[in-house]
Amino acid sequence: MLRYAMARTDERFRSAYNRLLDICSDMEVGDQLPAETALADRMDVSRTIVRSALQKLDSDKLIRWEGRSKMLIRKPQAEHRLVPAESALSAEELEHSFFEWILRFDVPAGTSLNVAQLSRQFGVPVHNLQEFLAGLSRLGLVERRPRGGWSLLGFTSEFAIELSEFRMLLELNAVRQLLTLPADHEIWNRLKVLRREHEDLKSVIAERYHDFSLLDEKFHSAINSVVRNRFVLEAQKLIKLIFNYHYMWDKRDELERNAAAIDEHLEWIDAMLERDSERSEAAAIKHLRRSKETLLQSLRVHKFA
Amino acid sequence: MLRYAMARTDERFRSAYNRLLDICSDMEVGDQLPAETALADRMDVSRTIVRSALQKLDSDKLIRWEGRSKMLIRKPQAEHRLVPAESALSAEELEHSFFEWILRFDVPAGTSLNVAQLSRQFGVPVHNLQEFLAGLSRLGLVERRPRGGWSLLGFTSEFAIELSEFRMLLELNAVRQLLTLPADHEIWNRLKVLRREHEDLKSVIAERYHDFSLLDEKFHSAINSVVRNRFVLEAQKLIKLIFNYHYMWDKRDELERNAAAIDEHLEWIDAMLERDSERSEAAAIKHLRRSKETLLQSLRVHKFA
DNA sequence: ATATTGAGTTTAATAATTAAAAACATATGA
DNA sequence: TCATATGTTTTTAATTATTAAACTCAATAT
């Protein structure tokens, strides 16, 4: 059966066929296979797939299929298995590849993006890229060009400033909400654990300063976790994305920056543990302002590198 | 030249051809048409289009085209014009139609959306809908289903609550920023004008209560205008969308609601004009809380209507 | 009767096709 | 001669066509 054009992959068929081989392996020659519906249920595919798989088993002389009789003629061997088509990147992996590309190569704002080329570059169907870029356009990171194609918008200094300010808005709100939580809320314990982890890392910062970025994310996630709001969450996803990628590529003064950040975090944690809202906000603002400056500097350095 | 399949509309060709007819009409029989590049520049299309249009003019015996000689043989008549294909909805119109449909028919959360059907319903190419839904998925309004298709998520009570809380977060931030602005900033004048407009509408509210929704939007836009941040702006676009559509369809107690809202706005404006931050925030919170309740009630009423 | 099958229909994703643009090569006339 | 126009080819991207997969329901066998 030679196919000329395959409008969509038959990956579902392939994996179902292989699972059907497994089922046959567990049976004896001469046994009857279950009903089409039973197989479909068991393998979580439609009967259409089950029937095409049975057809192939029949034409490969592994079963004799006549009406509702599906008798195993011989046991399947390794060579009968179909090779699964390598699956494309998932939506998340695409996002990762895309941002890594942007930041690693400092792709400038205004760059025109074309789906066909990106599709080859990332090994992802054009369709997925269309969808991905359409999503980014809602976040204001890319823009549709008048007659086809997309244009990269973000990653200018203005972008970084506005993102940082938005981050500050969200995190200060989180801090305010956090301070209203009762003493038996799990956040207080989490903060105490985080405090200890910060102290631990501080004592070995000279060697282990690389470990800070993980702790940083853990800390900010904890703060933000008290806000249960899908819009805030969605915004934080973007913020995490951008800040993380920048930290990943900006290695200047990493030890000094991280050591200073640990102290800022500690002051912030202490203020919250003492339920001192004024001091907490001040500490938060101080840390977030410095974060913003770091992001901005990293952008500047990359621009003239 | 019979065409079997047209992969994309030749609307650009049609309008260019018609404009070329206009150019011919302004010429005398025997005159020479300008060069291809000149025509392309003048009509803002590629030479490819100019050349296909010239080809049609030639085969329709309106010009004789040989090399760089393009002589007008006879003047074009009305019947020569090509009828332009009716253009599909723009992205904004699609958004409008989509939300109107959702809210007018109270499409419940969890409804499965399929692009083919929506494409027929809204008269928009499937492609555009894919893109539109991909954008909404970034806003958390729809979700891709495991094996194709989309699923409507939003418009539950939780959605409304979270949206309202997010709105409050953003608007309180705007108020705080607004109160730090210097006395000669244009916002103060805008607020004074708005105050007057509220008073005016209040005096004729019994007859003109419908006019409030416009004033409401104007007021909130003014407040938010002091925040120059693309993320905040993007979020406000969504908020405006949802709140506006709800007001549009929820007509219960409209007079009472709007009269009360005007008073709340006035108290809020006065507090800001007096630079009283505590009173301003209190007024804002009061108004935004009531707005939230209204949105929630409107959802409940529609659900059981 | 009831579960199962066969056939036909519908849906949705991707490949193929085509309009349009851009790039490149060649020719022409001031 | 050289700037400009034309002819040709290549690339890009939007839409249609096609196909895999799912669904539906009447017919059939146990």
Side-chain angles (χ1 to χ4, degrees), chain A residues 6-8 36 47 51 68 70 147:
Chain A
M6 187 137 49
R8 38 190 294 186
E36 293 173 12
R47 264 184 59 221
R51 286 171 66 82
R68 53 190 60 187
K70 304 173 278 287
R147 279 196 299 285

PDB file of all heavy atoms in Angstrom, chain A residues 6-8 36 47 51 68 70 147, chain C residues 4-6 12-16 21:
ATOM      1  N   MET A   6       0.471  12.140   2.870  1.00  0.00           N
ATOM      2  CA  MET A   6      -0.133  11.856   4.163  1.00  0.00           C
ATOM      3  C   MET A   6      -0.465  13.181   4.825  1.00  0.00           C
ATOM      4  O   MET A   6       0.414  13.891   5.304  1.00  0.00           O
ATOM      5  CB  MET A   6       0.831  11.053   5.011  1.00  0.00           C
ATOM      6  CG  MET A   6       0.215  10.580   6.287  1.00  0.00           C
ATOM      7  SD  MET A   6       0.650   8.893   6.656  1.00  0.00           S
ATOM      8  CE  MET A   6       2.415   8.940   6.439  1.00  0.00           C
ATOM      9  N   ALA A   7      -1.757  13.490   4.850  1.00  0.00           N
ATOM     10  CA  ALA A   7      -2.183  14.796   5.349  1.00  0.00           C
ATOM     11  C   ALA A   7      -1.890  14.947   6.834  1.00  0.00           C
ATOM     12  O   ALA A   7      -1.621  16.034   7.309  1.00  0.00           O
ATOM     13  CB  ALA A   7      -3.654  15.019   5.081  1.00  0.00           C
ATOM     14  N   ARG A   8      -1.971  13.871   7.581  1.00  0.00           N
ATOM     15  CA  ARG A   8      -1.554  13.955   8.976  1.00  0.00           C
ATOM     16  C   ARG A   8      -0.822  12.672   9.324  1.00  0.00           C
ATOM     17  O   ARG A   8      -0.970  11.667   8.647  1.00  0.00           O
ATOM     18  CB  ARG A   8      -2.729  14.222   9.908  1.00  0.00           C
ATOM     19  CG  ARG A   8      -4.011  13.513   9.558  1.00  0.00           C
ATOM     20  CD  ARG A   8      -5.184  13.997  10.345  1.00  0.00           C
ATOM     21  NE  ARG A   8      -5.107  13.698  11.771  1.00  0.00           N
ATOM     22  CZ  ARG A   8      -6.102  13.940  12.604  1.00  0.00           C
ATOM     23  NH1 ARG A   8      -7.203  14.518  12.201  1.00  0.00           N
ATOM     24  NH2 ARG A   8      -5.999  13.633  13.870  1.00  0.00           N
ATOM     25  N   GLU A  36     -13.709  -5.901  18.239  1.00  0.00           N
ATOM     26  CA  GLU A  36     -13.162  -4.599  17.837  1.00  0.00           C
ATOM     27  C   GLU A  36     -13.405  -3.544  18.908  1.00  0.00           C
ATOM     28  O   GLU A  36     -12.492  -2.799  19.284  1.00  0.00           O
ATOM     29  CB  GLU A  36     -13.798  -4.139  16.523  1.00  0.00           C
ATOM     30  CG  GLU A  36     -13.427  -4.992  15.329  1.00  0.00           C
ATOM     31  CD  GLU A  36     -14.196  -4.605  14.078  1.00  0.00           C
ATOM     32  OE1 GLU A  36     -14.838  -3.526  14.105  1.00  0.00           O
ATOM     33  OE2 GLU A  36     -14.163  -5.358  13.107  1.00  0.00           O
ATOM     34  N   ARG A  47     -12.456   2.655  16.789  1.00  0.00           N
ATOM     35  CA  ARG A  47     -12.547   1.368  16.099  1.00  0.00           C
ATOM     36  C   ARG A  47     -11.904   1.473  14.734  1.00  0.00           C
ATOM     37  O   ARG A  47     -11.381   0.476  14.214  1.00  0.00           O
ATOM     38  CB  ARG A  47     -14.015   0.968  15.961  1.00  0.00           C
ATOM     39  CG  ARG A  47     -14.473   0.031  17.053  1.00  0.00           C
ATOM     40  CD  ARG A  47     -15.892  -0.401  16.804  1.00  0.00           C
ATOM     41  NE  ARG A  47     -16.031  -1.071  15.534  1.00  0.00           N
ATOM     42  CZ  ARG A  47     -17.047  -0.896  14.712  1.00  0.00           C
ATOM     43  NH1 ARG A  47     -18.015  -0.051  15.017  1.00  0.00           N
ATOM     44  NH2 ARG A  47     -17.112  -1.572  13.595  1.00  0.00           N
ATOM     45  N   ARG A  51      -9.527  -1.399  13.358  1.00  0.00           N
ATOM     46  CA  ARG A  51      -9.819  -2.128  12.128  1.00  0.00           C
ATOM     47  C   ARG A  51      -8.661  -2.039  11.137  1.00  0.00           C
ATOM     48  O   ARG A  51      -8.319  -3.036  10.484  1.00  0.00           O
ATOM     49  CB  ARG A  51     -11.114  -1.613  11.490  1.00  0.00           C
ATOM     50  CG  ARG A  51     -12.355  -2.077  12.242  1.00  0.00           C
ATOM     51  CD  ARG A  51     -13.613  -1.387  11.753  1.00  0.00           C
ATOM     52  NE  ARG A  51     -13.956  -1.742  10.382  1.00  0.00           N
ATOM     53  CZ  ARG A  51     -14.610  -2.860  10.052  1.00  0.00           C
ATOM     54  NH1 ARG A  51     -14.954  -3.719  10.985  1.00  0.00           N
ATOM     55  NH2 ARG A  51     -14.892  -3.102   8.800  1.00  0.00           N
ATOM     56  N   ARG A  68     -16.232 -11.864  12.374  1.00  0.00           N
ATOM     57  CA  ARG A  68     -15.850 -11.586  13.756  1.00  0.00           C
ATOM     58  C   ARG A  68     -14.866 -12.627  14.290  1.00  0.00           C
ATOM     59  O   ARG A  68     -14.592 -12.655  15.487  1.00  0.00           O
ATOM     60  CB  ARG A  68     -17.075 -11.434  14.639  1.00  0.00           C
ATOM     61  CG  ARG A  68     -18.074 -12.556  14.592  1.00  0.00           C
ATOM     62  CD  ARG A  68     -19.322 -12.121  15.326  1.00  0.00           C
ATOM     63  NE  ARG A  68     -19.931 -10.924  14.719  1.00  0.00           N
ATOM     64  CZ  ARG A  68     -20.941 -10.266  15.251  1.00  0.00           C
ATOM     65  NH1 ARG A  68     -21.458 -10.645  16.392  1.00  0.00           N
ATOM     66  NH2 ARG A  68     -21.445  -9.211  14.636  1.00  0.00           N
ATOM     67  N   LYS A  70     -11.115 -13.615  14.529  1.00  0.00           N
ATOM     68  CA  LYS A  70      -9.767 -13.062  14.328  1.00  0.00           C
ATOM     69  C   LYS A  70      -8.785 -13.990  15.019  1.00  0.00           C
ATOM     70  O   LYS A  70      -8.446 -13.806  16.174  1.00  0.00           O
ATOM     71  CB  LYS A  70      -9.675 -11.663  14.947  1.00  0.00           C
ATOM     72  CG  LYS A  70     -10.713 -10.692  14.432  1.00  0.00           C
ATOM     73  CD  LYS A  70     -10.700  -9.382  15.177  1.00  0.00           C
ATOM     74  CE  LYS A  70     -11.477  -9.433  16.479  1.00  0.00           C
ATOM     75  NZ  LYS A  70     -12.925  -9.465  16.319  1.00  0.00           N
ATOM     76  N   ARG A 147       0.945  42.016   5.348  1.00  0.00           N
ATOM     77  CA  ARG A 147       0.692  40.954   4.369  1.00  0.00           C
ATOM     78  C   ARG A 147       1.540  39.740   4.686  1.00  0.00           C
ATOM     79  O   ARG A 147       2.522  39.453   4.024  1.00  0.00           O
ATOM     80  CB  ARG A 147       0.981  41.445   2.963  1.00  0.00           C
ATOM     81  CG  ARG A 147      -0.158  42.242   2.369  1.00  0.00           C
ATOM     82  CD  ARG A 147      -0.037  42.401   0.879  1.00  0.00           C
ATOM     83  NE  ARG A 147       1.169  43.101   0.475  1.00  0.00           N
ATOM     84  CZ  ARG A 147       1.347  44.422   0.590  1.00  0.00           C
ATOM     85  NH1 ARG A 147       0.394  45.159   1.102  1.00  0.00           N
ATOM     86  NH2 ARG A 147       2.480  44.976   0.207  1.00  0.00           N
TER      87      ARG A 147
ATOM     88  P    DT C   4     -19.245  -7.562  22.379  1.00  0.00           P
ATOM     89  OP1  DT C   4     -18.266  -8.591  22.763  1.00  0.00           O
ATOM     90  OP2  DT C   4     -19.153  -6.174  22.889  1.00  0.00           O
ATOM     91  O5'  DT C   4     -19.280  -7.498  20.795  1.00  0.00           O
ATOM     92  C5'  DT C   4     -19.469  -8.713  20.052  1.00  0.00           C
ATOM     93  C4'  DT C   4     -19.602  -8.376  18.601  1.00  0.00           C
ATOM     94  O4'  DT C   4     -20.835  -7.650  18.380  1.00  0.00           O
ATOM     95  C3'  DT C   4     -18.494  -7.477  18.040  1.00  0.00           C
ATOM     96  O3'  DT C   4     -17.744  -8.249  17.125  1.00  0.00           O
ATOM     97  C2'  DT C   4     -19.220  -6.307  17.400  1.00  0.00           C
ATOM     98  C1'  DT C   4     -20.639  -6.828  17.257  1.00  0.00           C
ATOM     99  N1   DT C   4     -21.719  -5.799  17.260  1.00  0.00           N
ATOM    100  C2   DT C   4     -22.524  -5.665  16.142  1.00  0.00           C
ATOM    101  O2   DT C   4     -22.381  -6.350  15.142  1.00  0.00           O
ATOM    102  N3   DT C   4     -23.500  -4.710  16.239  1.00  0.00           N
ATOM    103  C4   DT C   4     -23.749  -3.884  17.333  1.00  0.00           C
ATOM    104  O4   DT C   4     -24.659  -3.058  17.295  1.00  0.00           O
ATOM    105  C5   DT C   4     -22.884  -4.068  18.464  1.00  0.00           C
ATOM    106  C7   DT C   4     -23.066  -3.229  19.679  1.00  0.00           C
ATOM    107  C6   DT C   4     -21.913  -5.015  18.382  1.00  0.00           C
ATOM    108  P    DT C   5     -16.527  -7.695  16.344  1.00  0.00           P
ATOM    109  OP1  DT C   5     -15.587  -8.811  16.085  1.00  0.00           O
ATOM    110  OP2  DT C   5     -16.088  -6.462  17.015  1.00  0.00           O
ATOM    111  O5'  DT C   5     -17.198  -7.290  14.955  1.00  0.00           O
ATOM    112  C5'  DT C   5     -17.919  -8.268  14.218  1.00  0.00           C
ATOM    113  C4'  DT C   5     -18.663  -7.613  13.078  1.00  0.00           C
ATOM    114  O4'  DT C   5     -19.612  -6.651  13.586  1.00  0.00           O
ATOM    115  C3'  DT C   5     -17.777  -6.840  12.097  1.00  0.00           C
ATOM    116  O3'  DT C   5     -18.042  -7.334  10.801  1.00  0.00           O
ATOM    117  C2'  DT C   5     -18.210  -5.385  12.252  1.00  0.00           C
ATOM    118  C1'  DT C   5     -19.645  -5.537  12.730  1.00  0.00           C
ATOM    119  N1   DT C   5     -20.206  -4.397  13.517  1.00  0.00           N
ATOM    120  C2   DT C   5     -21.312  -3.732  13.042  1.00  0.00           C
ATOM    121  O2   DT C   5     -21.855  -3.999  11.986  1.00  0.00           O
ATOM    122  N3   DT C   5     -21.765  -2.709  13.863  1.00  0.00           N
ATOM    123  C4   DT C   5     -21.233  -2.329  15.080  1.00  0.00           C
ATOM    124  O4   DT C   5     -21.744  -1.413  15.710  1.00  0.00           O
ATOM    125  C5   DT C   5     -20.076  -3.077  15.518  1.00  0.00           C
ATOM    126  C7   DT C   5     -19.435  -2.731  16.810  1.00  0.00           C
ATOM    127  C6   DT C   5     -19.618  -4.062  14.724  1.00  0.00           C
ATOM    128  P    DG C   6     -17.004  -7.122   9.621  1.00  0.00           P
ATOM    129  OP1  DG C   6     -16.863  -8.389   8.891  1.00  0.00           O
ATOM    130  OP2  DG C   6     -15.823  -6.416  10.159  1.00  0.00           O
ATOM    131  O5'  DG C   6     -17.817  -6.101   8.702  1.00  0.00           O
ATOM    132  C5'  DG C   6     -19.146  -6.437   8.329  1.00  0.00           C
ATOM    133  C4'  DG C   6     -19.769  -5.270   7.585  1.00  0.00           C
ATOM    134  O4'  DG C   6     -20.281  -4.296   8.537  1.00  0.00           O
ATOM    135  C3'  DG C   6     -18.809  -4.510   6.682  1.00  0.00           C
ATOM    136  O3'  DG C   6     -19.450  -4.346   5.420  1.00  0.00           O
ATOM    137  C2'  DG C   6     -18.564  -3.177   7.387  1.00  0.00           C
ATOM    138  C1'  DG C   6     -19.830  -3.005   8.220  1.00  0.00           C
ATOM    139  N9   DG C   6     -19.645  -2.326   9.490  1.00  0.00           N
ATOM    140  C8   DG C   6     -18.634  -2.532  10.410  1.00  0.00           C
ATOM    141  N7   DG C   6     -18.738  -1.797  11.484  1.00  0.00           N
ATOM    142  C5   DG C   6     -19.882  -1.042  11.260  1.00  0.00           C
ATOM    143  C6   DG C   6     -20.496  -0.057  12.084  1.00  0.00           C
ATOM    144  O6   DG C   6     -20.143   0.344  13.191  1.00  0.00           O
ATOM    145  N1   DG C   6     -21.646   0.461  11.482  1.00  0.00           N
ATOM    146  C2   DG C   6     -22.131   0.079  10.259  1.00  0.00           C
ATOM    147  N2   DG C   6     -23.246   0.700   9.855  1.00  0.00           N
ATOM    148  N3   DG C   6     -21.576  -0.825   9.486  1.00  0.00           N
ATOM    149  C4   DG C   6     -20.456  -1.350  10.045  1.00  0.00           C
ATOM    150  P    DA C  12     -13.521  19.318  14.715  1.00  0.00           P
ATOM    151  OP1  DA C  12     -13.500  19.400  16.183  1.00  0.00           O
ATOM    152  OP2  DA C  12     -14.074  20.417  13.895  1.00  0.00           O
ATOM    153  O5'  DA C  12     -12.046  19.008  14.231  1.00  0.00           O
ATOM    154  C5'  DA C  12     -11.377  17.865  14.779  1.00  0.00           C
ATOM    155  C4'  DA C  12     -10.042  17.727  14.119  1.00  0.00           C
ATOM    156  O4'  DA C  12     -10.208  17.272  12.751  1.00  0.00           O
ATOM    157  C3'  DA C  12      -9.243  19.016  14.016  1.00  0.00           C
ATOM    158  O3'  DA C  12      -7.893  18.652  14.158  1.00  0.00           O
ATOM    159  C2'  DA C  12      -9.512  19.481  12.602  1.00  0.00           C
ATOM    160  C1'  DA C  12      -9.500  18.137  11.889  1.00  0.00           C
ATOM    161  N9   DA C  12     -10.174  18.087  10.600  1.00  0.00           N
ATOM    162  C8   DA C  12     -11.248  18.813  10.168  1.00  0.00           C
ATOM    163  N7   DA C  12     -11.629  18.520   8.944  1.00  0.00           N
ATOM    164  C5   DA C  12     -10.742  17.532   8.551  1.00  0.00           C
ATOM    165  C6   DA C  12     -10.595  16.792   7.366  1.00  0.00           C
ATOM    166  N6   DA C  12     -11.393  16.955   6.312  1.00  0.00           N
ATOM    167  N1   DA C  12      -9.608  15.878   7.310  1.00  0.00           N
ATOM    168  C2   DA C  12      -8.813  15.721   8.375  1.00  0.00           C
ATOM    169  N3   DA C  12      -8.850  16.356   9.549  1.00  0.00           N
ATOM    170  C4   DA C  12      -9.843  17.250   9.572  1.00  0.00           C
ATOM    171  P    DA C  13      -6.872  19.634  14.836  1.00  0.00           P
ATOM    172  OP1  DA C  13      -6.715  19.254  16.236  1.00  0.00           O
ATOM    173  OP2  DA C  13      -7.240  21.019  14.451  1.00  0.00           O
ATOM    174  O5'  DA C  13      -5.546  19.240  14.064  1.00  0.00           O
ATOM    175  C5'  DA C  13      -5.074  17.901  14.184  1.00  0.00           C
ATOM    176  C4'  DA C  13      -4.302  17.547  12.949  1.00  0.00           C
ATOM    177  O4'  DA C  13      -5.193  17.502  11.822  1.00  0.00           O
ATOM    178  C3'  DA C  13      -3.194  18.532  12.595  1.00  0.00           C
ATOM    179  O3'  DA C  13      -1.992  17.805  12.482  1.00  0.00           O
ATOM    180  C2'  DA C  13      -3.614  19.135  11.269  1.00  0.00           C
ATOM    181  C1'  DA C  13      -4.585  18.113  10.706  1.00  0.00           C
ATOM    182  N9   DA C  13      -5.668  18.690   9.923  1.00  0.00           N
ATOM    183  C8   DA C  13      -6.524  19.687  10.295  1.00  0.00           C
ATOM    184  N7   DA C  13      -7.421  19.996   9.384  1.00  0.00           N
ATOM    185  C5   DA C  13      -7.131  19.134   8.336  1.00  0.00           C
ATOM    186  C6   DA C  13      -7.705  18.958   7.066  1.00  0.00           C
ATOM    187  N6   DA C  13      -8.748  19.662   6.627  1.00  0.00           N
ATOM    188  N1   DA C  13      -7.167  18.015   6.269  1.00  0.00           N
ATOM    189  C2   DA C  13      -6.132  17.297   6.721  1.00  0.00           C
ATOM    190  N3   DA C  13      -5.499  17.378   7.890  1.00  0.00           N
ATOM    191  C4   DA C  13      -6.053  18.320   8.660  1.00  0.00           C
ATOM    192  P    DT C  14      -0.646  18.539  12.287  1.00  0.00           P
ATOM    193  OP1  DT C  14       0.334  17.794  13.063  1.00  0.00           O
ATOM    194  OP2  DT C  14      -0.872  19.979  12.483  1.00  0.00           O
ATOM    195  O5'  DT C  14      -0.342  18.302  10.745  1.00  0.00           O
ATOM    196  C5'  DT C  14      -0.149  16.967  10.287  1.00  0.00           C
ATOM    197  C4'  DT C  14      -0.214  16.956   8.780  1.00  0.00           C
ATOM    198  O4'  DT C  14      -1.458  17.513   8.323  1.00  0.00           O
ATOM    199  C3'  DT C  14       0.890  17.749   8.096  1.00  0.00           C
ATOM    200  O3'  DT C  14       1.400  16.911   7.094  1.00  0.00           O
ATOM    201  C2'  DT C  14       0.166  18.949   7.528  1.00  0.00           C
ATOM    202  C1'  DT C  14      -1.199  18.346   7.215  1.00  0.00           C
ATOM    203  N1   DT C  14      -2.336  19.287   7.086  1.00  0.00           N
ATOM    204  C2   DT C  14      -3.172  19.170   5.996  1.00  0.00           C
ATOM    205  O2   DT C  14      -3.014  18.337   5.132  1.00  0.00           O
ATOM    206  N3   DT C  14      -4.208  20.081   5.963  1.00  0.00           N
ATOM    207  C4   DT C  14      -4.484  21.066   6.894  1.00  0.00           C
ATOM    208  O4   DT C  14      -5.438  21.818   6.750  1.00  0.00           O
ATOM    209  C5   DT C  14      -3.572  21.130   8.014  1.00  0.00           C
ATOM    210  C7   DT C  14      -3.792  22.150   9.067  1.00  0.00           C
ATOM    211  C6   DT C  14      -2.556  20.248   8.055  1.00  0.00           C
ATOM    212  P    DA C  15       2.814  17.090   6.490  1.00  0.00           P
ATOM    213  OP1  DA C  15       3.598  15.897   6.825  1.00  0.00           O
ATOM    214  OP2  DA C  15       3.293  18.439   6.821  1.00  0.00           O
ATOM    215  O5'  DA C  15       2.486  17.031   4.936  1.00  0.00           O
ATOM    216  C5'  DA C  15       1.756  15.916   4.434  1.00  0.00           C
ATOM    217  C4'  DA C  15       1.212  16.234   3.071  1.00  0.00           C
ATOM    218  O4'  DA C  15       0.154  17.212   3.157  1.00  0.00           O
ATOM    219  C3'  DA C  15       2.230  16.806   2.097  1.00  0.00           C
ATOM    220  O3'  DA C  15       1.966  16.215   0.834  1.00  0.00           O
ATOM    221  C2'  DA C  15       1.952  18.303   2.117  1.00  0.00           C
ATOM    222  C1'  DA C  15       0.446  18.329   2.347  1.00  0.00           C
ATOM    223  N9   DA C  15      -0.064  19.497   3.075  1.00  0.00           N
ATOM    224  C8   DA C  15       0.423  20.038   4.223  1.00  0.00           C
ATOM    225  N7   DA C  15      -0.270  21.071   4.664  1.00  0.00           N
ATOM    226  C5   DA C  15      -1.281  21.205   3.734  1.00  0.00           C
ATOM    227  C6   DA C  15      -2.356  22.108   3.628  1.00  0.00           C
ATOM    228  N6   DA C  15      -2.590  23.089   4.507  1.00  0.00           N
ATOM    229  N1   DA C  15      -3.185  21.975   2.579  1.00  0.00           N
ATOM    230  C2   DA C  15      -2.958  20.994   1.699  1.00  0.00           C
ATOM    231  N3   DA C  15      -1.982  20.073   1.688  1.00  0.00           N
ATOM    232  C4   DA C  15      -1.171  20.245   2.745  1.00  0.00           C
ATOM    233  P    DA C  16       2.798  16.548  -0.421  1.00  0.00           P
ATOM    234  OP1  DA C  16       2.924  15.296  -1.183  1.00  0.00           O
ATOM    235  OP2  DA C  16       3.985  17.323  -0.017  1.00  0.00           O
ATOM    236  O5'  DA C  16       1.804  17.505  -1.214  1.00  0.00           O
ATOM    237  C5'  DA C  16       0.479  17.051  -1.485  1.00  0.00           C
ATOM    238  C4'  DA C  16      -0.251  18.076  -2.327  1.00  0.00           C
ATOM    239  O4'  DA C  16      -0.658  19.194  -1.500  1.00  0.00           O
ATOM    240  C3'  DA C  16       0.552  18.659  -3.480  1.00  0.00           C
ATOM    241  O3'  DA C  16      -0.312  18.711  -4.598  1.00  0.00           O
ATOM    242  C2'  DA C  16       0.967  20.042  -2.973  1.00  0.00           C
ATOM    243  C1'  DA C  16      -0.189  20.411  -2.045  1.00  0.00           C
ATOM    244  N9   DA C  16       0.151  21.254  -0.905  1.00  0.00           N
ATOM    245  C8   DA C  16       1.239  21.133  -0.071  1.00  0.00           C
ATOM    246  N7   DA C  16       1.270  22.015   0.904  1.00  0.00           N
ATOM    247  C5   DA C  16       0.125  22.764   0.695  1.00  0.00           C
ATOM    248  C6   DA C  16      -0.427  23.867   1.391  1.00  0.00           C
ATOM    249  N6   DA C  16       0.127  24.408   2.478  1.00  0.00           N
ATOM    250  N1   DA C  16      -1.578  24.377   0.926  1.00  0.00           N
ATOM    251  C2   DA C  16      -2.150  23.836  -0.150  1.00  0.00           C
ATOM    252  N3   DA C  16      -1.729  22.812  -0.887  1.00  0.00           N
ATOM    253  C4   DA C  16      -0.578  22.315  -0.408  1.00  0.00           C
ATOM    254  P    DA C  21       1.924  41.472  -3.478  1.00  0.00           P
ATOM    255  OP1  DA C  21       1.501  42.408  -2.431  1.00  0.00           O
ATOM    256  OP2  DA C  21       1.805  41.814  -4.910  1.00  0.00           O
ATOM    257  O5'  DA C  21       3.426  41.047  -3.178  1.00  0.00           O
ATOM    258  C5'  DA C  21       3.704  40.447  -1.918  1.00  0.00           C
ATOM    259  C4'  DA C  21       5.138  40.013  -1.898  1.00  0.00           C
ATOM    260  O4'  DA C  21       5.330  38.950  -2.850  1.00  0.00           O
ATOM    261  C3'  DA C  21       6.132  41.101  -2.259  1.00  0.00           C
ATOM    262  O3'  DA C  21       7.018  41.206  -1.164  1.00  0.00           O
ATOM    263  C2'  DA C  21       6.810  40.616  -3.539  1.00  0.00           C
ATOM    264  C1'  DA C  21       6.587  39.111  -3.467  1.00  0.00           C
ATOM    265  N9   DA C  21       6.477  38.423  -4.739  1.00  0.00           N
ATOM    266  C8   DA C  21       5.605  38.668  -5.758  1.00  0.00           C
ATOM    267  N7   DA C  21       5.736  37.855  -6.780  1.00  0.00           N
ATOM    268  C5   DA C  21       6.765  37.010  -6.403  1.00  0.00           C
ATOM    269  C6   DA C  21       7.386  35.927  -7.049  1.00  0.00           C
ATOM    270  N6   DA C  21       7.028  35.499  -8.259  1.00  0.00           N
ATOM    271  N1   DA C  21       8.385  35.302  -6.399  1.00  0.00           N
ATOM    272  C2   DA C  21       8.728  35.747  -5.180  1.00  0.00           C
ATOM    273  N3   DA C  21       8.227  36.754  -4.470  1.00  0.00           N
ATOM    274  C4   DA C  21       7.243  37.343  -5.141  1.00  0.00           C
TER     275       DA C  21
END
